[in-house]
């Protein structure tokens, strides 16, 4: 559905006409641009926008189906950009992603959002309070949306870092993270980091291209070259985010390895204790088994002190075994 449609002249908003073709013609004649916002549009709803703005069918297909990687594609009459906003849910300590698609032309911007975490409403309100920036045209919208998405990445990375510190404290606590759910929580956290990486890492190349840095840098159609310093700032923030994500991924792998190592050591300790108790139980069992055999001629069988002597021998051997195992740390 179309959630907002407006024409911007010199950074100031005027409500657009209901006919989209009239809105585009009016924006071009006034030297401004039209910005149309869509939320999870259906094929029928997008058909009119596609026809009026001449959007490429492959880009339209991506915008309708969603589930795209962050990317930047140049077509004859428009620029197509995909961003993936990320939301951290503190109640469940989970990361969820949405999608924002932007079509940029000479005098129009079409934004389509899917899922949660879309910053478009806040971005539009902020830009409308800064007419000088909004007056730069569609490039300003692309920059503001990308800046809002990447800045929120930094906040999510901080929250995930806090969660990882809690996991580390649990694993390296005195009980060694003995809870059965510890490994499950570590694995779940690693899945959250992976979901985060899918949003941030693929965005590096498109953002570097917009910023004009690296081998992928170059002129991008429908984007003002004088906006490159702004995109470089966004790219710098994205680099920081990706470094944080890589660090989180390595640390959580190390935490999982440490937890599994602790579990292995604990199992070895348990096996040693079981073996020690089994050895202590074997001694009296062996003696009792020998004297339980029905033979007539056995040493000290008819001796008056045989029974107490055997009990004393068993007790002495048990004490010796216990002290030996205790001294070696098996008990």
């Amino acid at each position: 559905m179309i959630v907002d449609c407006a024409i911007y002249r010199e950074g100031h908003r005027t409500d657009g006409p209901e006919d989209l073709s009239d809105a585009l013609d009016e924006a071009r004649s006034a030297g401004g641009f039209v910005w149309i916002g869509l939320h999870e549009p259906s094929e029928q709803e997008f058909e009119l926008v596609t026809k009026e703005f001449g959007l490429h069918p492959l880009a339209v297909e991506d915008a309708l189906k969603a589930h795209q990687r962050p990317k930047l594609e140049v077509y004859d009459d428009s620029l197509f950009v995909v961003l993936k906003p990320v939301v951290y849910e503190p109640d469940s300590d989970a990361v969820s992603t949405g999608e924002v698609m932007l079509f940029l032309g000479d005098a129009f911007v079409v934004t389509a959002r899917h899922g949660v975490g879309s910053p478009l409403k806040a971005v539009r309100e902020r830009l409308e309070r800064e007419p000088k920036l909004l007056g730069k045209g569609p490039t300003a919208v692309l920059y503001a949306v990308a800046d809002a998405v990447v800045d929120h990445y930094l906040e999510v990375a901080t929250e995930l870092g806090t969660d990882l510190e809690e996991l580390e404290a649990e694993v390296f606590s005195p009980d060694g993270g003995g809870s059965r759910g510890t490994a499950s929580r570590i694995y779940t956290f690693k899945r959250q980091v992976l979901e985060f990486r899918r949003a941030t890492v693929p965005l590096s190349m498109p953002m570097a291209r917009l910023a004009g840095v690296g081998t992928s840098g170059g002129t991008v159609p429908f984007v003002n070259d004088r906006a490159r310093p702004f995109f470089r700032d966004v790219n710098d923030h994205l680099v920081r985010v990706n470094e944080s994500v890589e660090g989180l991924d390595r640390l959580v792998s190390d935490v999982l390895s440490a937890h599994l190592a602790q579990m292995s050591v604990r199992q070895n300790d348990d096996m040693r204790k079981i073996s020690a108790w089994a050895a202590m139980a074997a001694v009296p069992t062996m003696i009792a088994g020998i004297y339980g055999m029905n033979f007539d001629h056995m040493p000290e069988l008819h001796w008056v002190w045989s029974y107490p002597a055997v009990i004393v021998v068993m007790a002495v051997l048990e004490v010796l075994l216990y002290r030996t195992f205790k001294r070696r740390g098996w008990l």
Side-chain angles (χ1 to χ4, degrees):
M1 59 178 294
I2 297 178
V3 295
D4 203 348
C5 176
I7 297 174
Y8 295 92
R9 301 184 181 93
E10 297 181 354
H12 297 282
R13 175 186 176 120
T14 59
D15 291 334
E18 295 183 0
D19 192 324
L20 297 183
S21 60
D22 292 342
L24 184 57
D25 293 339
E26 185 178 338
R28 284 173 173 164
S29 63
F33 70 96
V34 59
W35 181 358
I36 298 176
L38 304 171
H39 176 238
E40 297 184 355
S42 64
E43 186 174 351
Q44 293 75 16
E45 292 170 338
F46 219 110
E47 184 177 356
L48 177 61
V49 178
T50 302
K51 179 180 178 181
E52 296 298 339
F53 295 99
L55 305 180
H56 197 279
L58 292 178
V60 171
E61 181 181 0
D62 289 343
L64 288 172
K65 292 185 177 179
H67 303 293
Q68 303 296 315
R69 286 166 55 91
K71 61 182 179 179
L72 183 153
E73 295 182 355
V74 179
Y75 297 101
D76 293 336
D77 299 322
S78 62
L79 178 71
F80 180 57
V81 180
V82 178
L83 303 172
K84 293 183 75 70
V86 175
V87 174
Y88 176 83
E89 300 172 359
D91 295 337
S92 58
D93 293 336
V95 169
S96 58
T97 59
E99 290 185 45
V100 174
M101 285 83 167
L102 297 96
F103 296 85
L104 270 72
D106 58 337
F108 69 86
V109 177
V110 177
T111 55
R113 61 186 178 92
H114 295 263
V116 298
S118 173
L120 296 183
K121 182 178 180 181
V123 168
R124 188 187 287 261
E125 292 175 350
R126 180 170 68 87
L127 283 175
E128 290 177 354
R129 293 193 298 268
E130 300 181 28
K132 185 176 180 180
L133 177 60
L134 191 55
K136 304 297 182 181
T139 301
V141 177
L142 176 59
Y143 158 71
V145 174
D147 184 56
V149 169
V150 173
D151 282 349
H152 196 62
Y153 286 166
L154 291 169
E155 298 176 10
V156 174
T158 301
E159 295 289 348
L160 289 176
T162 302
D163 289 347
L164 181 57
E165 290 176 358
E166 294 176 356
L167 275 177
E168 288 178 324
E170 180 179 347
V171 169
F172 296 106
S173 60
D175 62 354
S179 173
R180 293 184 178 180
T182 301
S184 175
R185 285 193 291 273
I186 295 174
Y187 181 76
T188 300
F189 181 82
K190 191 171 181 64
R191 289 290 300 261
Q192 303 302 322
V193 174
L194 178 61
E195 184 74 13
F196 194 23
R197 287 189 62 180
R198 288 173 178 166
T200 64
V201 174
L203 185 59
S204 298
M205 187 173 293
M207 200 53 60
R209 187 176 178 184
L210 290 170
V213 298
T215 57
S216 59
T219 300
V220 180
F222 309 106
V223 176
N224 194 324
D225 288 341
R226 286 183 287 183
R228 284 187 172 181
F230 296 93
F231 286 110
R232 280 198 293 270
D233 180 66
V234 177
N235 186 63
D236 290 342
H237 291 174
L238 182 61
V239 170
R240 287 173 52 196
V241 170
N242 284 329
E243 289 175 350
S244 298
V245 173
E246 292 294 334
L248 288 171
D249 189 50
R250 288 194 300 269
L251 282 174
V252 72
S253 296
D254 292 343
V255 169
L256 180 58
S257 298
H259 175 68
L260 295 177
Q262 287 182 334
M263 295 296 293
S264 178
V265 170
R266 187 176 296 108
Q267 288 175 350
N268 290 336
D269 290 340
D270 293 340
M271 288 303 299
R272 285 189 299 180
K273 291 179 180 179
I274 293 172
S275 299
W277 286 112
M280 293 172 62
V283 171
T285 301
M286 178 189 67
I287 297 174
I290 291 174
Y291 280 91
M293 293 187 293
N294 297 320
F295 292 113
D296 291 333
H297 304 288
M298 293 182 65
E300 293 82 28
L301 189 61
H302 300 287
W303 185 37
V304 176
W305 297 100
S306 296
Y307 177 75
V310 170
I311 296 300
V312 170
V313 170
M314 289 183 182
V316 171
L317 291 175
E318 290 294 298
V319 170
L320 290 176
L321 286 174
Y322 180 82
R323 293 185 63 180
T324 300
F325 292 142
K326 191 71 174 179
R327 185 168 57 251
R328 294 185 178 182
W330 285 34
L331 291 174

